[in-house]
Amino acid sequence: MSILDEFDPNSNPLFTPEHIYGKREKIADVCIVTFHHRVLEKVLEEYAPAAAAAAATANGKVNILPA
């Protein structure tokens, strides 16, 4: 079982990028946001994708990973 099996695509999100950036074209099918480096490390260990891009945040660089 993976983290994607636990995701409910029919649930309403708490917030979306539209709340900040307005309506845009589709960016991704799935977005996982972590608030702790250990969670991110575990996801990277499990799936080990190459970063598609990086975003600068208040907490440092965040990799944007392809699906």
Side-chain angles (χ1 to χ4, degrees):
M1 182 174 286
S2 76
I3 193 169
L4 297 178
D5 295 326
E6 299 295 321
F7 175 71
D8 178 6
N10 299 313
S11 66
N12 291 323
L14 298 175
F15 60 91
T16 68
E18 289 179 14
H19 288 111
I20 299 168
Y21 301 109
K23 184 89 172 141
R24 302 284 174 115
E25 294 295 319
K26 181 177 178 179
I27 297 171
D29 292 326
V30 175
C31 177
I32 300 172
V33 178
T34 64
F35 294 97
H36 197 284
H37 68 93
R38 290 186 187 148
V39 174
L40 176 60
E41 290 167 3
K42 186 64 177 170
V43 170
L44 292 175
E45 281 177 22
E46 182 73 24
Y47 300 102
T57 72
N59 294 319
K61 183 178 101 173
V62 175
N63 289 328
I64 300 171
L65 309 172

